[in-house]
């Protein structure tokens, strides 16, 4: 019985020794402001270079259509060493982000662009599936 207890204790010590110790990253700077009307801002910076900031305001307060408009940014260094910086706006027009690391669509080929411009000049209209409704 004593051998079993000793084996279990030894196993518990071995398992504990294999657990990685958590990485602790200090917060160097942090601020938060909240107005009773709903306007707010916050920001923080960590010792590993993460920087975050956001501001928000209530739009159309007191109505059934009340919402919050936000804008902010964050920056950090990716594991491969690439600096990442992203800015964003979130409001009635949706979430819009910008950053050099974000993918962008390829340019529209000249032939397609010419066709789209011709359609716009001719007054052609399309339905939500892209089918031609009429051509004036």
């Amino acid at each position: 019985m004593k051998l079993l207890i000793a084996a279990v204790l030894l196993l518990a010590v071995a398992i504990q020794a294999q657990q990685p110790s958590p990485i602790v990253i200090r917060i160097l700077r942090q601020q938060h402001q909240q107005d009773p009307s709903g306007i707010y801002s916050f920001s923080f910076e960590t010792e590993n270079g993460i920087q975050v900031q956001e501001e928000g305001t209530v739009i159309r307060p007191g109505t059934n259509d009340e919402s919050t408009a936000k804008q902010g940014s964050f920056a950090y260094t990716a594991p491969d060493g690439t600096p990442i910086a992203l800015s964003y706006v979130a409001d009635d027009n949706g979430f819009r982000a910008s950053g050099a690391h974000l993918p962008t669509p390829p340019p529209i080929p000249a032939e397609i662009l010419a066709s789209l411009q011709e359609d716009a000049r001719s007054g052609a209209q399309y339905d939500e599936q892209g089918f031609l409704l009429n051509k004036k």
Side-chain angles (χ1 to χ4, degrees):
M1 183 66 159
K2 290 180 184 178
L3 184 59
L4 178 60
I5 292 173
V8 169
L9 287 175
L10 186 59
L11 180 61
V13 169
I15 289 173
Q16 181 64 28
Q18 292 176 358
Q19 299 294 323
S21 52
I23 297 172
V24 177
I25 299 170
R26 292 183 306 135
I27 295 175
L28 302 176
R29 179 183 57 79
Q30 179 177 6
Q31 74 86 20
H32 181 258
Q33 295 177 344
Q34 179 77 44
D35 184 272
S37 68
I39 297 170
Y40 73 92
S41 68
F42 70 84
S43 65
F44 65 87
E45 181 177 356
T46 63
E47 69 181 342
N48 65 345
I50 296 172
Q51 298 176 357
V52 177
Q53 72 87 23
E54 182 176 290
E55 300 172 348
T57 186
V58 177
I59 52 177
R60 295 178 303 281
T63 69
N64 289 339
D65 205 22
E66 180 178 303
S67 66
T68 304
K70 306 171 184 189
Q71 65 180 19
S73 64
F74 60 85
Y76 64 95
T77 302
D80 68 358
T82 305
I84 303 294
L86 184 126
S87 296
Y88 60 89
V89 173
D91 57 18
D92 289 346
N93 296 315
F95 180 82
R96 298 173 310 282
S98 61
H101 66 290
L102 296 176
T104 58
I108 299 173
E111 298 82 8
I112 302 295
L113 185 56
S115 176
L116 292 171
Q117 290 168 338
E118 175 58 32
D119 285 348
R121 282 192 298 273
S122 72
Q125 295 180 349
Y126 297 88
D127 66 14
E128 62 277 352
Q129 295 179 330
F131 293 107
L132 182 62
L133 293 174
N134 66 353
K135 191 167 184 171
K136 294 183 178 181

